[in-house]
Amino acid sequence: LLFVAAQVTLVSGFTGFSPASLTTSRSNVLQQSVISAEDTDTKTTLKISNDEEKNNLAAKLLTTCAAYGQVGSKLTEEERSIIDDIAASLGSSSSPSPAKIELSGKHELIYSVSPSASSGALGPLTGKVTQSFLDETMFINRVEFFAGAIKIELYAERKVLDDTRIRVKFKETVISVLGKEVKRFEAKGSGIWDYVFAGSITKPSGEKMLLRVMKTPSTFVIVQRE
């Protein structure tokens, strides 16, 4: 017994722990592990909840745009306000640096209030509008009529200004008919993309896409389907 007691005393002297304190330490570690697990579960639950809210709002925005139509300038003030309110509510769920999200491939215009051809409106016609990103700076705004028989392409370059804004400068316009270029001329002007929201969303169908909502100051809603 004296030998055992001497060993305990020796261990206690080197480690600073007694058998009782070791038991207490194990208990504290266990409690901390439980608390850490609970914190992780809480964060996971909050993330799922936030994602669900984001996806629900995004689905509502896309459904409303589809119901009202692509060209916002043809809507009533009340209808445009409804879309703007839904878009604004998405802002808190946006990527923290929406202007710095990498853009590539083809993106599809869902809605625009712009009265110009960038919304797809040309007199009584409404064309299909897409954006094609060529590299880190150059992209093409494209409007197609009659299943692509007539195509208007506006070449432009972009520069990130900060986390939420991108400056766009127009370079040239190319008009093609039946696949043949008929006119090319210099394009002038510039603008700012001021992001309201940008991020990945999942529709109720399970389809995933990148959604972007911007003010130029006209509202634009654009998606890239996976």
Side-chain angles (χ1 to χ4, degrees), residues 48-64 86 89-90 93 201-204 211:
I48 293 173
S49 177
N50 291 338
D51 284 347
E52 287 179 350
E53 180 181 6
K54 177 184 68 175
N55 290 332
N56 289 338
L57 285 171
K60 184 178 180 180
L61 175 64
L62 296 176
T63 300
T64 304
I86 300 171
S89 65
L90 266 169
S93 301
I201 64 163
T202 303
K203 296 179 66 176
L211 171 64

Side-chain angles (χ1 to χ4, degrees), residues 178-194:
L178 298 177
K180 294 183 178 181
E181 181 180 320
V182 297
K183 191 172 184 179
R184 179 185 294 260
F185 54 92
E186 181 183 0
K188 297 182 179 180
S190 62
I192 300 289
W193 292 351
D194 192 355

Side-chain angles (χ1 to χ4, degrees), residues 54-55 58-59 61-62 90 93-111 129 131-133 158 166 193 195-203 206-214 220-226:
K54 177 184 68 175
N55 290 332
L61 175 64
L62 296 176
L90 266 169
S93 301
S94 176
S95 163
S97 302
K100 296 180 179 178
I101 289 178
E102 182 178 349
L103 300 175
S104 62
K106 182 179 287 188
H107 298 236
E108 176 186 347
L109 177 73
I110 301 299
Y111 171 82
V129 182
Q131 286 184 330
S132 293
F133 292 90
R158 69 192 191 280
I166 294 177
W193 292 351
Y195 275 93
V196 175
F197 172 88
S200 177
I201 64 163
T202 303
K203 296 179 66 176
E207 181 183 10
K208 294 184 177 181
M209 57 179 62
L210 172 64
L211 171 64
R212 293 184 291 140
V213 182
M214 307 177 296
F220 280 78
V221 179
I222 302 171
V223 300
Q224 182 183 34
R225 305 177 191 276
E226 290 190 358

Side-chain angles (χ1 to χ4, degrees), residues 21 27-28 39 54 65 81 105 114-115 119 136 174 183 206 211 220:
S21 67
S27 177
N28 289 339
D39 287 345
K54 177 184 68 175
C65 289
S81 293
S114 174
S119 67
E136 293 182 353
V174 178
K183 191 172 184 179
L211 171 64
F220 280 78

Side-chain angles (χ1 to χ4, degrees), residues 3-226:
F3 178 72
V4 172
Q7 282 188 314
V8 170
T9 302
L10 183 61
V11 171
S12 299
F14 278 109
T15 64
F17 292 105
S18 65
S21 67
L22 287 171
T23 302
T24 302
S25 177
R26 291 193 188 100
S27 177
N28 289 339
V29 169
L30 180 59
Q31 288 178 351
Q32 290 173 357
S33 298
V34 171
I35 292 173
S36 177
E38 289 176 347
D39 287 345
T40 300
D41 289 342
T42 300
K43 290 177 181 178
T44 301
T45 301
L46 288 173
K47 184 179 186 304
I48 293 173
S49 177
N50 291 338
D51 284 347
E52 287 179 350
E53 180 181 6
K54 177 184 68 175
N55 290 332
N56 289 338
L57 285 171
K60 184 178 180 180
L61 175 64
L62 296 176
T63 300
T64 304
C65 289
Y68 287 165
Q70 173 180 309
V71 184
S73 60
K74 295 182 179 180
L75 305 182
T76 66
E77 187 64 36
E78 181 182 2
E79 290 170 334
R80 287 193 292 269
S81 293
I82 290 173
I83 290 176
D84 282 343
D85 287 346
I86 300 171
S89 65
L90 266 169
S92 61
S93 301
S94 176
S95 163
S97 302
K100 296 180 179 178
I101 289 178
E102 182 178 349
L103 300 175
S104 62
K106 182 179 287 188
H107 298 236
E108 176 186 347
L109 177 73
I110 301 299
Y111 171 82
S112 171
V113 181
S114 174
S116 69
S118 59
S119 67
L122 185 62
L125 303 176
T126 300
K128 179 181 179 181
V129 182
T130 57
Q131 286 184 330
S132 293
F133 292 90
L134 308 179
D135 53 35
E136 293 182 353
T137 58
M138 297 300 298
F139 69 98
I140 304 171
N141 282 340
R142 183 180 295 107
V143 186
E144 298 178 78
F145 299 94
F146 308 111
I150 299 176
K151 188 184 300 182
I152 303 173
E153 295 178 312
L154 177 60
Y155 286 74
E157 63 180 13
R158 69 192 191 280
K159 180 181 180 181
V160 174
L161 298 180
D162 51 38
D163 285 344
T164 61
R165 297 180 303 148
I166 294 177
R167 182 183 297 281
V168 174
K169 181 179 288 187
F170 307 121
K171 309 300 287 184
E172 66 177 356
T173 300
V174 178
I175 300 175
S176 302
V177 177
L178 298 177
K180 294 183 178 181
E181 181 180 320
V182 297
K183 191 172 184 179
R184 179 185 294 260
F185 54 92
E186 181 183 0
K188 297 182 179 180
S190 62
I192 300 289
W193 292 351
D194 192 355
Y195 275 93
V196 175
F197 172 88
S200 177
I201 64 163
T202 303
K203 296 179 66 176
S205 63
E207 181 183 10
K208 294 184 177 181
M209 57 179 62
L210 172 64
L211 171 64
R212 293 184 291 140
V213 182
M214 307 177 296
K215 294 281 189 178
T216 66
S218 301
T219 301
F220 280 78
V221 179
I222 302 171
V223 300
Q224 182 183 34
R225 305 177 191 276
E226 290 190 358

